[in-house]
C-alpha cells in the first residue's frame, strides 16, 4: 500500500524489561554494528549521540545498584545535551537535510528556543556548553531529557539493539536505564573501537546533511564536542584535599596542571577521582600516556581519602565510584592500545 510512512521502530515504546540473554563479545559487536549500520533511512543523528552518551558514561555505571548496572538519565542527558549544544550552536552543524521548509529536529528547536529565552543570539553563540552556568546547563539538559531522550531516543535505540542492551520503564518512572551486564563488559572492553565505528557512521550522516564548509574537520568536532577546557573545579577540590606536591614526581607544586590519570582520550569523561595535580613538566611528558601499575595503587589510596572531602563535585563524582571500576578502566585502556609504561 502506498503512503505508509516508514516508522522508526520502537520510538514510542513504554518499557523494555524482558530478561536479558547471555551475550558474548561477538553478540555485542554484531548488535552494535547492525544498530549503527542500519539501512533504515535515518531522519536524525540521535542514535549516534545517544550511543556516545552511553560510551562516555560507562565508568559512571553503578555496579552496586539492584539490579546492577544502573546509568542515570541525569548522566546520559547531560552528555547528550553537551554534544548537541557544541555541534549545533558552537560548530553550526545541521542535524537534518536543509530544505525550503527550514525543518529542524526537536533537539535543534529546543536549543534555539532556550537561546532565545536567555537572549543568546544565534549564530553568535560560539561558546561551549561548559561556559553555561551550571543551573542553565541543568535546565536545558532536563528539557532535552523529557522532549528528546525519553520521548524519541530511548525506545528506538532499545529496539535497534534488539532489546538486549538495556531495560527501561516509563510506566515505573525509572530515572535511568539498567544495562545488560554482559553488554557493559564488552562495551567497556572495546570502548575505543565502538567509539570509532560510531564516529564513522555519524560523520557519514552529518556530511550528507551539511555543506562541505560546515563538514570541515568533522571527526575533530565530534571528538571535541565533550572536551572541557576549564578544569578549575577539580583543581580547587584537589587543593582543598591538600595536595601540594606533584602526584608523579613528588616535587612541591609552584605551578600545577590538572592531569587526567587515565588519559582523557580513553575515558572521554571528567571525574574528580581520575584527576591529580602534577607539575607542568610531568604533565607535558605524560601527555596521552598511561602510567605504570605502581601509580594505580597510589591513586587508589588517594581516592580512599579524597572521597571524604566535603565539596559538591566530590560528593557527586564519588556516587558510583569503586576502585575495581578504576582498575577495570586502567586494564581496558591497555587493551585499547595505551601502554602502561610512563613514569617520571
Ligand atoms: Zn612532576
Amino acid at each position: 500500500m502506498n503512503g505508509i510512512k516508514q516508522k522508526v521502530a520502537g520510538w514510542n515504546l513504554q518499557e523494555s524489561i524482558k530478561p536479558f540473554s547471555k551475550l558474548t563479545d561477538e553478540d555485542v559487536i554484531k548488535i552494535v554494528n547492525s544498530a549503527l549500520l542500519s539501512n533504515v533511512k535515518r531522519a536524525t543523528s540521535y542514535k549516534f549521540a545517544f550511543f556516545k552518551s552511553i560510551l562516555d558514561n560507562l565508568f559512571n555505571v553503578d555496579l552496586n545498584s539492584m539490579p546492577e548496572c544502573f546509568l542515570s538519565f541525569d548522566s546520559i542527558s547531560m552528555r547528550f545535551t553537551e554534544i548537541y549544544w557544541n555541534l549545533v550552536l558552537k560548530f553550526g552543524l545541521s542535524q537534518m537535510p536543509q530544505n525550503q521548509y527550514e525543518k529542524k529536529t526537536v533537539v535543534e528547536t529546543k536549543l534555539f528556543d532556550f537561546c532565545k529565552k536567555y537572549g543568546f543570539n544565534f549564530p553568535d553563540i560560539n561558546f561551549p556548553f561548559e561556559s553555561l552556568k551550571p543551573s542553565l546547563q541543568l535546565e536545558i539538559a532536563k528539557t532535552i531529557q523529557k522532549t528528546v531522550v525519553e520521548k524519541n531516543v530511548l525506545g528506538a535505540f532499545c529496539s535497534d539493539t534488539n532489546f538486549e542492551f538495556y531495560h527501561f520503564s516509563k510506566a515505573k518512572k525509572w530515572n535511568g536505564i539498567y544495562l545488560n551486564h554482559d553488554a557493559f563488559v564488552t562495551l567497556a572492553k572495546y570502548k575505543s573501537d565502538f567509539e570509532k565505528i560510531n564516529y564513522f557512521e555519524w560523520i557519514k550522516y552529518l556530511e550528507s546533511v551539511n555543506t562541505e564548509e560546515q563538514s570541515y574537520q568533522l571527526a575533530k568536532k565530534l571528538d571535541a564536542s565533550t572536551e572541557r577546557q576549564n578544569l578549575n573545579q577539580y583543581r580547587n577540590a584537589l587543593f582543598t584535599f591538600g595536595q601540594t606536591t606533584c602526584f608523579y614526581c613528588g616535587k612541591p607544586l609552584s605551578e600545577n596542571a590538572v592531569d587526567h590519570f587515565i588519559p582523557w582520550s580513553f575515558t572521554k569523561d571528567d571525574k574528580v577521582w581520575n584527576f591529580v595535580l602534577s607539575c607542568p613538566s610531568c604533565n607535558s611528558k605524560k601527555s596521552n600516556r598511561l602510567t605504570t601499575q605502581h601509580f594505580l595503587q597510589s591513586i587508589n589510596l588517594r581516592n580512599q581519602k579524597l572521597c571524604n572531602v566535603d565539596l559538591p563535585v566530590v560528593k557527586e563524582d564519588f556516587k558510583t565510584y569503586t576502585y575495581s571500576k578504576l582498575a577495570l578502566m586502567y586494564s581496558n585502556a591497555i587493551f585499547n592500545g595505551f601502554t602502561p609504561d610512563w613514569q617520571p
Side-chain angles (χ1 to χ4, degrees):
M1 187 181 157
N2 289 329
I4 296 178
K5 265 177 117 182
Q6 189 167 25
K7 278 186 182 167
V8 180
W11 70 272
N12 203 16
L13 202 66
Q14 292 304 301
E15 69 177 11
S16 173
I17 50 173
K18 181 178 76 83
F20 292 129
S21 313
K22 185 102 197 79
L23 300 179
T24 61
D25 285 352
E26 211 175 36
D27 295 330
V28 174
I29 293 167
K30 221 181 282 174
I31 292 171
V32 170
N33 277 331
S34 91
L36 298 178
L37 310 181
S38 122
N39 289 326
V40 177
K41 189 157 167 35
R42 293 178 195 115
T44 73
S45 55
Y46 290 159
K47 66 179 171 188
F48 307 117
F50 188 67
F51 189 45
K52 178 169 169 59
S53 302
I54 292 177
L55 286 176
D56 287 4
N57 269 304
L58 277 179
F59 295 98
N60 301 320
V61 165
D62 188 349
L63 296 176
N64 297 319
S65 59
M66 283 298 286
E68 66 173 349
C69 287
F70 178 73
L71 183 57
S72 71
F73 285 145
D74 289 350
S75 301
I76 296 173
S77 306
M78 194 55 99
R79 184 47 55 108
F80 190 88
T81 305
E82 181 175 15
I83 292 168
Y84 276 112
W85 178 284
N86 291 334
L87 294 185
V88 173
L89 301 177
K90 190 179 162 209
F91 299 132
L93 286 162
S94 274
Q95 301 301 314
M96 243 186 151
Q98 295 159 54
N99 55 35
Q100 73 260 45
Y101 306 112
E102 293 279 323
K103 212 164 170 271
K104 300 250 175 270
T105 55
V106 180
V107 75
E108 289 169 293
T109 307
K110 296 295 169 191
L111 286 171
F112 291 132
D113 288 351
F114 178 84
C115 289
K116 210 166 164 190
K117 177 178 169 190
Y118 287 101
F120 306 138
N121 294 317
F122 190 78
D124 306 326
I125 309 156
N126 48 15
F127 58 88
F129 185 68
E130 67 171 334
S131 302
L132 265 188
K133 279 202 307 203
S135 59
L136 294 187
Q137 289 184 3
L138 205 62
E139 182 184 326
I140 182 67
K142 275 283 163 212
T143 304
I144 303 282
Q145 177 183 326
K146 296 288 169 215
T147 57
V148 183
V149 175
E150 287 189 59
K151 205 164 171 200
N152 297 300
V153 192
L154 194 59
F157 197 69
C158 188
S159 156
D160 286 345
T161 49
N162 296 344
F163 311 97
E164 293 291 3
F165 269 25
Y166 56 85
H167 286 156
F168 74 96
S169 174
K170 294 182 191 175
K172 297 188 182 70
K173 294 192 164 47
W174 290 355
N175 59 354
I177 59 176
Y178 292 91
L179 284 176
N180 179 339
H181 186 264
D182 294 342
F184 164 76
V185 170
T186 306
L187 292 176
K189 184 170 159 193
Y190 296 96
K191 186 169 180 290
S192 302
D193 297 280
F194 287 123
E195 196 173 86
K196 285 170 203 156
I197 297 169
N198 193 38
Y199 280 175
F200 184 66
E201 294 303 320
W202 199 350
I203 287 169
K204 282 201 285 188
Y205 174 76
L206 286 174
E207 282 181 347
S208 75
V209 298
N210 284 279
T211 62
E212 208 172 302
E213 194 188 343
Q214 286 170 308
S215 301
Y216 181 64
Q217 295 198 330
L218 263 181
K220 200 173 166 187
K221 286 171 183 165
L222 288 182
D223 213 32
S225 67
T226 56
E227 189 169 14
R228 310 250 161 92
Q229 302 303 323
N230 186 347
L231 301 176
N232 276 336
Q233 59 168 335
Y234 306 106
R235 177 178 282 110
N236 292 339
L238 295 170
F239 273 139
T240 307
F241 170 64
Q243 195 187 337
T244 55
T245 55
C246 173
F247 180 79
Y248 301 112
C249 72
K251 284 190 197 126
L253 292 169
S254 47
E255 290 174 84
N256 68 76
V258 186
D259 185 72
H260 289 88
F261 174 71
I262 295 175
W264 181 86
S265 53
F266 178 67
T267 67
K268 298 284 155 74
D269 193 28
D270 301 309
K271 285 287 173 292
V272 72
W273 44 262
N274 189 42
F275 280 115
V276 298
L277 292 179
S278 76
C279 67
S281 162
C282 283
N283 182 251
S284 86
K285 285 183 199 146
K286 177 177 176 284
S287 180
N288 200 17
R289 299 171 68 181
L290 199 60
T291 68
T292 55
Q293 187 94 26
H294 162 77
F295 288 102
L296 183 61
Q297 306 311 322
S298 315
I299 199 168
N300 175 27
L301 295 174
R302 194 285 306 265
N303 282 342
Q304 287 174 15
K305 296 176 196 148
L306 177 63
C307 66
N308 297 316
V309 172
D310 191 18
L311 284 174
V313 65
V314 175
K315 282 197 179 357
E316 183 60 34
D317 286 3
F318 270 95
K319 264 185 196 162
T320 61
Y321 170 82
T322 58
Y323 170 65
S324 58
K325 219 157 57 175
L326 178 66
L328 176 69
M329 199 190 228
Y330 181 88
S331 58
N332 286 349
I334 298 172
F335 188 78
N336 283 270
F338 292 81
T339 314
D341 62 356
W342 187 82
Q343 52 187 358

